[in-house]
Amino acid sequence: MNVKPKKHLGQHFLTDKNIARKIAQSLKLNTYDTVLEIGPGMGVLTEFLLKTSNKDIFVIEIDRESVTYLKKHFPELNHNIIEADFLKTDLQKLFQRKALGIIGNFPYNISTQIVFKVLEHKDIIPEFAGMFQKEVSERITAPHGNKTYGILSVLAQTYYDTEYLFTVNEQVFNPPPKVKSGVIRLTRKEKFPDIDYDYFKKLVKTAFNQRRKTLRNSLKSYNLSDNLKQARIFAKRPEQLSPAEFVELAQMIKNDI
């Protein structure tokens, strides 16, 4: 029995085992003992995670048909198959605050939401790797000054070192997507900036909501003092700021009297 890909779940099953092996090997750190695969489908990536990793492998899958398939074909997963929506799952509670690596062939329709959830749980996720739509992979890893650099780039690169690993063609999926895919790896930085994440996220989003404007104009809702607005950084547009400069900007605004 094969699982039929479901369009409403954004399922495109990877069929190339060579690529599945390369993705499985993209997790490099030895600072954690648990790996969570998101959306395993029929387990082409799961198979290599179980073969090549010495870690405790969990999978989380929302599709009941896929869960039935996995239970039948991967009995070694035992009780490590979680039938749930990753975006609605309390990772801290489920894994009792244990560190874990996250991996997957991520559904295109929720891929950016997955990244935001990882960032919210960065204290327990030292490493995150997998396959996204190529455009999303490029956005996450884009340097400042690049036209694809944006909210995801700044937030991901503030807390993680990001690497674009390789590109995957459309033909190795069932059904083939209309675009290429990109595999990336995020490795958590040893030290985080001393800034509240929710405050920082809101600031970055506000800046990029009007990305063609200078920060002096796009951040008007922050009611900045006239003195602060004279700082040279406010004459720049958001894509001109590196993640470190965004942290500096956030601290300047926080300290504005």
Side-chain angles (χ1 to χ4, degrees):
M1 177 198 88
N2 280 351
V3 178
K4 186 179 177 183
K6 295 165 188 66
K7 193 173 182 180
H8 73 281
L9 293 176
Q11 290 177 329
H12 295 274
F13 294 142
L14 182 63
T15 56
D16 189 312
K17 295 205 169 188
N18 242 351
I19 291 170
R21 183 188 294 109
K22 282 176 74 177
I23 296 171
Q25 291 169 345
S26 63
L27 291 176
K28 298 286 189 187
L29 293 184
N30 289 314
T31 56
Y32 56 90
D33 301 316
T34 306
V35 170
L36 175 64
E37 181 191 353
I38 298 170
M42 290 191 292
V44 66
L45 177 56
T46 317
E47 178 186 342
F48 290 102
L49 289 171
L50 290 166
K51 276 181 186 174
T52 61
S53 178
N54 57 359
K55 301 182 190 299
D56 198 10
I57 308 298
F58 285 79
V59 299
I60 186 164
E61 176 60 69
I62 196 171
D63 178 27
R64 186 164 291 174
E65 192 183 0
S66 292
V67 169
T68 302
Y69 182 95
L70 292 164
K71 284 179 178 176
K72 183 179 178 183
H73 290 85
F74 294 93
E76 64 270 47
L77 278 174
N78 197 9
H79 301 296
N80 289 13
I81 300 172
I82 304 155
E83 186 176 350
D85 181 344
F86 173 75
L87 296 177
K88 294 177 181 173
T89 300
D90 186 338
L91 296 179
Q92 305 270 8
K93 186 177 177 184
L94 184 63
F95 293 100
Q96 299 172 333
R97 294 196 59 81
K98 280 195 299 186
L100 67 148
I102 287 192
I103 196 166
N105 168 23
F106 305 118
Y108 289 168
N109 56 347
I110 60 164
S111 61
T112 56
Q113 293 166 268
I114 288 171
V115 180
F116 283 125
K117 175 138 184 167
V118 166
L119 288 166
E120 285 163 10
H121 292 81
K122 57 193 173 298
D123 55 325
I124 62 164
I125 302 173
E127 192 172 35
F128 170 52
M131 184 153 52
F132 294 85
Q133 185 175 337
K134 186 170 185 275
E135 180 192 328
V136 176
S137 291
E138 288 174 337
R139 202 183 311 153
I140 293 167
T141 57
H144 67 283
N146 188 293
K147 64 179 181 181
T148 59
Y149 181 76
I151 298 163
L152 266 184
S153 326
V154 175
L155 294 175
Q157 293 171 37
T158 296
Y159 300 98
Y160 289 85
D161 292 319
T162 65
E163 300 168 82
Y164 188 102
L165 300 179
F166 57 93
T167 300
V168 180
N169 288 323
E170 303 92 325
Q171 290 75 24
V172 298
F173 295 94
N174 174 36
K178 293 177 180 175
V179 292
K180 295 189 188 309
S181 301
V183 176
I184 62 172
R185 175 171 57 230
L186 276 64
T187 309
R188 190 176 63 195
K189 294 184 175 179
E190 287 190 14
K191 194 175 179 186
F192 292 161
D194 185 21
I195 197 85
D196 177 74
Y197 174 71
D198 290 330
Y199 167 80
F200 185 60
K201 180 181 174 184
K202 184 183 176 187
L203 174 69
V204 174
K205 279 188 166 185
T206 305
F208 277 101
N209 278 344
Q210 301 179 74
R211 63 181 299 145
R212 286 193 172 87
K213 291 189 176 181
T214 64
L215 294 166
R216 193 172 289 128
N217 291 311
S218 63
L219 298 177
K220 274 184 177 174
S221 61
Y222 280 81
N223 297 317
L224 308 171
S225 68
D226 291 339
N227 188 43
L228 185 64
K229 280 190 283 189
Q230 299 315 306
R232 290 174 64 184
I233 198 167
F234 287 95
K236 292 185 177 184
R237 295 190 306 277
E239 72 267 16
Q240 294 176 294
L241 268 64
S242 69
E245 286 174 310
F246 259 106
V247 171
E248 183 188 337
L249 174 71
Q251 288 165 337
M252 287 169 72
I253 293 173
K254 198 87 171 168
N255 296 332
D256 189 29
I257 300 171

